[in-house]
Amino acid sequence: MKTSFLSRAALALVLAAPVSVAAAPAQQPLPPFSAQDLVTLNRLGGVAVSPDGKLVAYTVTVTDPASYQRSTQLWLRPLDGKAPARQVTVDGSASDPAFAPDGSLYLLSDRKQDGKDAGTQVWKIAAPASTTPVLAAITTFKADVSGFKLSPDGKRIAVWGDIARTCPTFGGCDNDGNTTLPGPGTGRLYKDGTGFVRHWDAWETPGNYSRIFAFALGHDGRVNADTGRALDGDPANGGLVGDAPTKPFGDGGEVAWASDGSAVVYAARQADRDEPRSTNLDLWWAPVDGAAPKNLTAANKATDTGPAVSPDGQWLAYTAMARPGYEADRLVVHLLNLKTGENRALTESWDRSAGALRWTSDGKALLASAEDVLDTPVFRIDVATGKVARLALSPVKGREGAIGNVTPLKDGRFVFTRDSIEGPAEVYVGKPGSKARALTDLAASTLAARAPITTQRFSFKGANGDTVWGQITKPAGLSGKLPGILNVHGGPQGSYNDSWSNRWNPRVWASQGYAVVSVDFHGSTGYGQAFTDAINNDWGGKPLEDLQKGFAAAAALDAQIDADNACAVGASYGGYMMNWIEGNWPDKFRCIVQHDGVFDARAMAFETEELWFDEWEHGQKNYVQDPAAFEKWNPVNHVAQWKTPMLVITSEKDFRIPYTQGLAAFTALQTMKVPSELLVFPDENHWVLKPRNSLQWHQTVFHWLDRWLRKGGKEG
């Protein structure tokens, strides 16, 4: 595996010192961090810094601890620290804050207009620093605005939302373009060549797409509807038919303005019969006058995304994969000369996958985040040489955690967000190498009033003798043996790195009195592309060996871990691994929790929606072409060995790993008379997101663990 200068330095730290969350002195023991705490903890949303560097705006999601109703708030905080943060009364939702060059603040809100519901629209605060900021509606479309981006000069705005492809205006047509309802009944008819029939958690509506429109802003700051132009062109003359930003997770990071405001660059994938097998996102240059967009990256049949135009307008920076059909290929930073067409790969020699890009104000460098050995730091990439340097921004020395939303200030400081296993994202300001100062306290005080945990990093020799990393998270200050939990991450190209999660959260598990072990097995990200690729066509091979060796290494390192009184848990690929462990490591664990895991690879090959993923992972072939590749690692073939009690969790709106996979696993357990339970959410997708459902999820899981790890299998 190739390693950069950074990874070599990190690998030298084979064992990092345990860290703990500082807790205020108290006479009584602090209560543990609970599922109720996790569900109701404040959550940071969008962050924006004013052009003069004096003000930061951010949104916060707040959950009522009794009703579990969620709402969003807008907050403003002076960066000089001389005044506290103050909330702006929005009287509606608040998201996506963005400052214009003149210092005015734009945001999305479903605030009523003239006392009437108007859906989600763009709003503006002309003087956000004033003591009585006033909101004014910028858009009044019939359709909801899903997102927006201001031009660099603040004179134009790009907005996007779901609009009929035949509609020439944003939300100005009476129908949504749906071609699947021929009547007279309620059936949806998907014709030959449709492409996606359903995606993530929604049935597709052919004829309706996420579309971007550009508008001029009038002297009053409002959208001039007459100036609006669609940026996808005429489909009859080579225009794009597809979602921009892409679905289901595309956002403003896929949209950028030309420096002079004459055009918008966006990422999109052609919607056709091949889309479910295509990772071919391209970057399109769309003039604001509505002329046909130009495909800037047609030569590359893999993913091109994350556009960022240089301050002088000469260069387009973006990230690109090289292998079509592979969604976890390395994202290399490219520079495209918008005048000459020259294109060069800037970070070809850097064995990391770059995230969102941001130019420095002088145009000499790019800032990018990237996973790196359990951390997600920010790197400075020199445009002239491609040299990459890691920036130490974290207030915790030697442990970056997950850094994001980085905004450089003129005085050399950065505004950024940071989260870790110990706590969710907060906003900070500081210079690289110095101790950053927190600008927010959304959750820190709440967490300081809860019992602390410790997190320790460790490494060991895994499959092929490669160095593999993991983490141990456990309650601090407890003596004696702790039941062990082997937590297997999803992806599979992902990582249980040092970051906060609102779903599979190590802190809330450890706070129940467990020692949680996570292992970044072969296939994980942040260790170089060869390590990530190692899981392809080997789902039950090297990863299982890494998990077996890693759990043993953790127990040898930390005597508190009771490896003989342990359960294994995981979701998505981690759920697949639970089914695989059930038949291939059947005598190790007292129980298993399997969430949204593949049970039958043959059925999965024909049921999932993004076919490119499943086919790439099985040698770039479909099931008909190479059934043996799918059957080699198919859990259903080992049901005869199933014996470990299993809790199965699935959701009816999960189209990535359809709920039929969970039903089949539960049926197999019942057939084999293995103690088992099935939890089904009718209103969730691949993730459990709703507060009450999350509480039920945690209560069910913790009851299951308690039954097998503390009560000897007895119910109650």
Side-chain angles (χ1 to χ4, degrees):
M1 179 179 71
K2 294 187 291 183
T3 56
S4 67
F5 68 93
L6 177 62
S7 61
R8 286 196 296 269
L11 287 171
L13 302 173
V14 177
L15 292 178
V19 296
S20 63
V21 179
Q27 298 298 319
Q28 299 295 327
L30 296 176
F33 182 67
S34 67
Q36 171 78 5
D37 294 326
L38 178 66
V39 168
T40 59
L41 212 59
N42 290 343
R43 301 180 182 184
L44 181 67
V47 179
V49 180
S50 62
D52 60 9
K54 295 181 178 180
L55 194 66
V56 60
Y58 56 93
T59 58
V60 181
T61 298
V62 177
T63 305
D64 185 278
S67 68
Y68 301 105
Q69 293 296 312
R70 284 182 170 152
S71 59
T72 50
Q73 302 173 346
L74 174 66
W75 289 78
L76 298 171
R77 170 70 190 266
L79 278 170
D80 60 13
K82 295 180 179 179
R86 58 189 176 86
Q87 183 183 352
V88 177
T89 301
V90 177
D91 292 327
S93 62
S95 66
D96 300 75
F99 282 97
D102 64 2
S104 57
L105 179 65
Y106 289 71
L107 69 149
L108 286 181
S109 178
D110 62 3
R111 174 186 171 106
K112 291 184 178 180
Q113 296 187 22
D114 299 325
K116 299 179 181 179
D117 291 333
T120 301
Q121 302 295 328
V122 182
W123 292 75
K124 174 184 176 182
I125 302 175
S130 69
T131 56
T132 56
V134 178
L135 280 79
I138 298 303
T139 63
T140 56
F141 300 123
K142 293 181 181 179
D144 286 336
V145 178
S146 299
F148 71 94
K149 184 154 285 190
L150 295 166
S151 63
D153 60 8
K155 295 180 179 179
R156 294 182 180 273
I157 187 172
V159 300
W160 54 90
D162 288 352
I163 304 293
R165 188 60 181 84
T166 55
C167 190
T169 60
F170 192 98
C173 299
D174 293 331
N175 67 74
D176 64 359
N178 194 339
T179 62
T180 69
L181 303 174
T186 59
R188 291 189 295 263
L189 177 63
Y190 291 88
K191 297 183 179 179
D192 180 46
T194 295
F196 279 120
V197 172
R198 57 183 187 175
H199 201 180
W200 186 246
D201 61 4
W203 289 87
E204 287 290 295
T205 305
N208 181 296
Y209 301 94
S210 177
R211 301 177 62 201
I212 304 175
F213 288 70
F215 295 87
L217 294 173
H219 295 297
D220 59 358
R222 296 174 181 266
V223 159
N224 185 338
D226 294 334
T227 66
R229 295 291 183 271
L231 301 185
D232 45 9
D234 182 356
N237 294 306
L240 170 73
V241 177
D243 292 306
T246 59
K247 289 185 176 180
F249 304 120
D251 57 19
E254 295 181 345
V255 182
W257 276 93
S259 60
D260 62 0
S262 65
V264 172
V265 184
Y266 59 81
R269 177 177 53 229
Q270 193 76 29
D272 54 25
R273 71 164 63 244
D274 297 324
E275 188 177 14
R277 288 185 165 86
S278 172
T279 60
N280 187 20
L281 272 66
D282 282 312
L283 295 177
W284 299 76
W285 176 275
V288 296
D289 62 6
K294 177 184 178 182
N295 189 340
L296 299 176
T297 57
N300 182 28
K301 303 306 180 182
T303 292
D304 303 286
T305 190
V309 179
S310 62
D312 63 6
Q314 182 177 357
W315 297 94
L316 173 68
Y318 65 97
T319 57
M321 297 181 183
R323 290 175 281 182
Y326 188 19
E327 66 179 12
D329 200 12
R330 181 166 59 111
L331 283 164
V332 174
V333 179
H334 284 246
L335 288 178
L336 173 65
N337 190 311
L338 292 171
K339 295 181 180 179
T340 67
E342 172 196 354
N343 193 323
R344 64 187 177 101
L346 185 63
T347 60
E348 188 63 54
S349 61
W350 184 41
D351 197 11
R352 290 295 180 268
S353 193
L357 302 175
R358 184 183 185 114
W359 287 87
T360 56
S361 59
D362 59 10
K364 294 182 179 180
L366 289 159
L367 301 175
S369 61
E371 290 181 300
D372 188 85
V373 189
L374 300 175
D375 285 316
T376 307
V378 170
F379 299 84
R380 183 186 185 276
I381 305 170
D382 185 78
V383 169
T385 65
K387 182 180 179 180
V388 180
R390 175 170 168 159
L391 302 182
L393 293 176
S394 171
V396 181
K397 187 176 181 181
R399 189 162 169 253
E400 288 299 291
I403 306 291
N405 300 291
V406 178
T407 301
L409 302 178
K410 295 178 181 179
D411 61 4
R413 295 182 300 163
F414 293 84
V415 174
F416 61 94
T417 61
R418 178 186 184 268
D419 63 272
S420 69
I421 287 177
E422 278 77 28
E426 303 277 3
V427 184
Y428 292 84
V429 62
K431 287 186 177 181
S434 63
K435 189 173 179 61
R437 174 170 58 91
L439 295 173
T440 60
D441 181 3
L442 306 182
S445 292
T446 299
L447 289 169
R450 299 294 183 268
I453 61 164
T454 65
T455 296
Q456 181 174 12
R457 302 179 180 187
F458 69 99
S459 67
F460 61 93
K461 295 298 181 183
N464 295 338
D466 295 333
T467 298
V468 178
W469 283 84
Q471 296 179 104
I472 303 167
T473 303
K474 64 180 185 179
L478 293 185
S479 60
K481 287 282 190 177
L482 299 173
I485 303 292
L486 176 62
N487 198 339
V488 182
H489 71 67
Q493 292 88 0
S495 170
Y496 262 141
N497 48 24
D498 191 354
S499 62
W500 186 260
S501 171
N502 290 318
R503 298 189 308 278
W504 288 74
N505 184 290
R507 176 162 187 166
V508 75
W509 289 64
S511 295
Q512 310 307 307
Y514 299 116
V516 182
V517 177
S518 61
V519 174
D520 273 358
F521 47 82
H522 278 79
S524 299
T525 49
Y527 307 90
Q529 193 59 42
F531 192 85
T532 300
D533 291 347
I535 197 172
N536 300 156
N537 223 1
D538 193 32
W539 274 30
K542 291 186 291 294
L544 178 60
E545 183 178 345
D546 290 341
L547 293 169
Q548 292 170 328
K549 291 180 176 178
F551 197 53
L557 174 66
D558 189 332
Q560 273 199 293
I561 300 173
D562 191 345
D564 295 323
N565 184 33
C567 288
V569 302
S572 197
Y573 171 82
Y576 160 86
M577 181 53 70
M578 296 303 102
N579 290 330
W580 188 250
I581 285 174
E582 183 75 73
N584 292 273
W585 196 10
D587 298 314
K588 178 59 183 175
F589 298 103
R590 294 184 183 271
C591 74
I592 288 174
V593 178
Q594 185 263 99
H595 182 150
D596 291 343
V598 175
F599 168 74
D600 183 355
R602 179 181 183 182
M604 173 71 176
F606 296 102
E607 291 176 348
T608 191
E609 17 81 285
E610 290 183 352
L611 298 173
W612 67 72
F613 166 75
D614 204 44
E615 293 178 4
W616 181 277
E617 293 300 308
H618 294 90
Q620 299 89 64
K621 295 179 180 179
N622 61 42
Y623 188 91
V624 175
Q625 293 170 323
D626 190 1
F630 290 78
E631 296 299 343
K632 182 177 181 180
W633 307 114
N634 194 350
V636 74
N637 294 331
H638 302 271
V639 168
Q641 285 74 49
W642 282 27
K643 63 174 68 172
T644 308
M646 180 189 288
L647 168 64
V648 179
I649 306 173
T650 190
S651 298
E652 292 182 25
K653 295 180 69 176
D654 183 1
F655 300 154
R656 184 59 43 85
I657 300 179
Y659 71 88
T660 49
Q661 293 280 316
L663 290 179
F666 181 66
T667 299
L669 291 160
Q670 293 286 289
T671 300
M672 299 301 295
K673 294 182 170 47
V674 178
S676 49
E677 293 181 359
L678 172 67
L679 177 62
V680 182
F681 290 101
D683 54 348
E684 297 285 3
N685 54 36
H686 199 54
W687 302 328
V688 175
L689 302 175
K690 296 178 173 61
R692 291 182 184 274
N693 288 345
S694 180
L695 271 179
Q696 183 183 7
W697 187 97
H698 283 89
Q699 290 168 357
T700 304
V701 168
F702 293 154
H703 176 81
W704 184 255
L705 297 178
D706 187 60
R707 173 182 170 183
W708 296 101
L709 296 179
R710 295 192 174 104
K711 297 180 180 178
K714 296 179 181 179
E715 295 191 57

